[in-house]
Amino acid sequence: MNRKLLNFIVTIVLAFILSQFLPWWSIMVAAFITSIFLSLKKGAVFFIPFLAIAFFWMIYSFWLSSSNDFTLAKKIAVLFPLGGNPYILILVTGIIGGIAAGVAGIFSKQFSLILNNRR
C-alpha cells in the first residue's frame, strides 16, 4: 500500500480512537504519532495529516450536527460572519483541524530529524 495512503488512513483511525477519550487536541497527537512512524517527504508531511483530519472533522461534525437538524451549528454560524450557514461552519471546522494536524506533522518530522542527528 502507498505510504501516503497508509498514513492518511492510520491518522484518521487513530484520531477517531483518541477523540473518544481526549479533547480536541488529540488530532494533533494522532498526526504526530503517525508522522513519526510513517514518515513522509516534502510537502506531504503537512498535507497528508491536513487532509486526513480535515476530512475526519468535516464528516464527524456533519454527522453530529445532522442528528439534531443543525440547530447548534446554525446558532454558532450566526456568531461568525458565515451568514448562519452551518455547512460553511463545518468547512471552517475542517480547515482549522487540518491546519493543527499539519503543523503537528511538520513538528514530528523536525523532531525525528533532530533525534536522527544526535545518534
Side-chain angles (χ1 to χ4, degrees):
M1 185 180 283
N2 188 357
R3 193 172 199 77
K4 292 177 185 175
L5 181 62
L6 184 62
N7 189 310
F8 183 85
I9 293 170
V10 171
T11 301
I12 291 175
V13 169
L14 190 59
F16 178 74
I17 292 169
L18 290 176
S19 69
Q20 302 301 311
F21 307 106
L22 296 173
W24 69 270
W25 48 262
S26 63
I27 55 138
M28 295 174 77
V29 174
F32 184 85
I33 290 171
T34 55
S35 294
I36 286 282
F37 292 112
L38 299 169
S39 64
L40 298 169
K41 295 182 172 125
K42 300 185 182 179
V45 170
F46 177 82
F47 286 111
I48 299 300
F50 174 87
L51 292 173
I53 297 303
F55 176 75
F56 168 64
W57 265 16
M58 285 190 286
I59 296 298
Y60 194 56
S61 63
F62 180 82
W63 180 65
L64 290 175
S65 294
S66 66
S67 66
N68 65 7
D69 202 26
F70 298 96
T71 304
L72 183 61
K74 289 176 187 174
K75 290 180 180 183
I76 292 175
V78 169
L79 297 174
F80 295 109
L82 303 175
N85 191 340
Y87 302 109
I88 296 175
L89 179 66
I90 290 171
L91 179 67
V92 169
T93 301
I95 290 170
I96 291 171
I99 290 171
V103 169
I106 291 173
F107 178 68
S108 70
K109 181 68 173 181
Q110 296 298 319
F111 184 72
S112 66
L113 288 174
I114 289 171
L115 287 180
N116 288 338
N117 286 340
R118 287 190 177 194
R119 291 181 188 177

